[in-house]
Amino acid sequence: MYTQGLNAADKAPPAIEDAGRLGAFQARIDAEQKIEPNDWMPEAYRRTLIRQIAQHAHSEIVGMLPEGNWITRAPSLRRKAALLAKVQDEGGHGLYLYAAAETLGVARETLVEQLLSGGAKYSSIFNYPTLTWADIGAIGWLVDGAAIMNQIPLCRCSYGPYARAMIRVCKEESFHQRQGYEIMTVLARGTTAQRAMAQDALDRWWWPCLMMFGPPDGESQHSDASTRWKIKRFSNDELRQKFVDATVPQGHYLGLSFPDPALRFDEATSHWHYGAIDWDEFRAVLRGDGPCNRDRLAARNRAHENGAWVREAALAFAEKRRRKAAA
Ligand SMILES: [Fe+2]
Ligand SMILES: [Fe+2]
């Protein structure tokens, strides 16, 4: 539970949520005013944001693993530099987001502990393996592309620190998406083997990317309150459709095909119609039974243990400075 990490100010008994206060809070949201850390907020709003921001932060951190796997094997110095920069950006996104969650009264250590113990959720997409170099292209193009669709509306989220973090994050995600599409472009215009590699990566990543937007609207648990509070501006299905409409023409431009026999452009609605998503697979990966769930958690725990000396050194240095200042 996040409450164990609450700071002293939050241990005070919760303010009474009378109708007047709730009404004034909703009126501020309706007037598009940002809610800031010291403002009064309903407990459910705070909890919803902590859950969402923490999941988002964990996803950025775990998201470093499938791509970090290819840094030493990138095909050129230029590709290696770009991939290094991208993976480092994702780490930075995780840190901004943990900092945004901390403004809601939860300690970063608590969130990190939840991730390491396997008790926290993160985006299920990162539980799929990166088998070839083309996967790095597909991830940038599709996974970062889907992340942008989700995150652009969050730049207008009612909670100020989250909204402001998203502005910078989205600028960086846009670079990630372009570098991924550029990798796919080179492969799609390359040798027969390279084109086949690009097609295989698209075939494996397409459906998991559609699942990134979460369960269909009818089954989504958190949408109503999130929409009322202007944390969420579009439903899961609306965002998924926007992503499909933006991405299918990009794939066709590269001469690639999508692994969905039902995919067709619907003249009546001007949208790309797509086939049924395998939600059983989605739920299995969420439960921890995806191809890489155990590997990802083990790798994150190893990295945390290997970084212990850095945390200890930083604490010792801070203590040395504190003593010096006191003397
Ligand atoms: Fe990111
Ligand atoms: Fe990214």
Side-chain angles (χ1 to χ4, degrees):
M1 280 305 290
Y2 80 91
T3 42
Q4 69 197 77
L6 291 181
N7 60 33
D10 282 74
K11 283 177 186 152
I16 296 162
E17 298 194 355
D18 61 82
R21 263 189 148 164
L22 285 170
F25 175 81
Q26 189 61 46
R28 286 188 61 190
I29 301 243
D30 294 343
E32 299 287 339
Q33 288 176 19
K34 292 279 178 262
I35 307 300
E36 297 297 338
N38 291 330
D39 294 343
W40 182 85
M41 61 187 82
E43 197 47 34
Y45 177 82
R46 182 196 300 272
R47 278 200 306 271
T48 298
L49 276 168
I50 290 177
R51 180 180 47 74
Q52 178 169 338
I53 298 174
Q55 275 182 27
H56 191 166
H58 299 324
S59 302
E60 302 282 358
I61 297 295
V62 177
M64 298 167 78
L65 296 171
E67 291 182 288
N69 182 32
W70 277 90
I71 291 173
T72 55
R73 294 178 287 168
S76 69
L77 184 59
R78 177 174 164 260
R79 293 294 189 202
K80 194 191 291 276
L83 185 57
L84 259 175
K86 179 195 191 284
V87 172
Q88 190 172 316
D89 284 353
E90 307 298 10
H93 298 171
L95 298 185
Y96 301 148
L97 288 162
Y98 284 133
E102 282 190 307
T103 66
L104 292 157
V106 60
R108 181 181 303 209
E109 291 77 8
T110 308
L111 298 177
V112 169
E113 177 46 40
Q114 286 169 353
L115 174 63
L116 295 176
S117 67
K121 275 193 202 161
Y122 56 85
S123 179
S124 56
I125 193 77
F126 301 118
N127 291 316
Y128 290 84
T130 41
L131 304 179
T132 71
W133 172 250
D135 288 19
I136 300 306
I139 288 181
W141 171 36
L142 301 172
V143 176
D144 291 273
I148 293 170
M149 281 300 169
N150 263 322
Q151 291 171 15
I152 293 272
L154 289 172
C155 296
R156 294 188 296 129
C157 161
S158 60
Y159 188 57
Y162 193 27
R164 290 188 289 272
M166 279 304 106
I167 292 171
R168 173 159 174 185
V169 166
C170 283
K171 286 182 185 164
E172 294 179 347
E173 297 302 359
S174 160
F175 153 69
H176 301 167
Q177 198 267 355
R178 284 175 209 188
Q179 67 87 39
Y181 192 67
E182 204 248 344
I183 291 172
M184 293 301 272
T185 307
V186 168
L187 293 175
R189 290 178 185 160
T191 63
T192 308
Q194 285 174 318
R195 268 200 305 282
M197 198 160 81
Q199 181 62 58
D200 172 60
L202 173 55
D203 289 346
R204 282 180 293 107
W205 288 93
W206 177 246
W207 289 107
C209 280
L210 295 193
M211 295 175 198
M212 280 178 73
F213 296 92
D217 291 352
E219 293 172 26
S220 180
Q221 304 165 23
H222 305 295
S223 281
D224 287 354
S226 288
T227 304
R228 181 160 37 87
W229 288 326
K230 301 199 178 186
I231 296 171
K232 204 172 167 67
R233 302 264 177 177
F234 297 97
S235 75
N236 294 353
D237 286 335
E238 283 170 336
L239 290 167
R240 191 167 10 247
Q241 186 66 57
K242 276 172 182 272
F243 173 74
V244 171
D245 289 344
T247 309
V248 169
Q250 293 170 353
H252 289 163
Y253 177 78
L254 297 181
L256 299 175
S257 60
F258 289 81
D260 177 359
L263 189 70
R264 61 174 173 79
F265 188 72
D266 184 338
E267 298 284 351
T269 61
S270 295
H271 289 301
W272 284 90
H273 168 87
Y274 53 90
I277 295 174
D278 180 358
W279 293 112
D280 289 342
E281 174 181 327
F282 175 74
R283 282 185 283 267
V285 180
L286 268 193
R287 268 200 317 272
D289 294 329
C292 299
N293 294 56
R294 286 163 195 86
D295 281 8
R296 296 296 182 237
L297 265 193
R300 189 83 278 288
N301 271 286
R302 263 197 319 277
H304 191 74
E305 283 157 25
N306 291 339
W309 69 273
V310 179
R311 294 189 296 278
E312 284 158 19
L315 280 174
F317 182 65
E319 176 61 15
K320 192 169 107 186
R321 284 221 300 209
R322 193 191 58 78
R323 275 208 216 116
K324 234 182 187 169

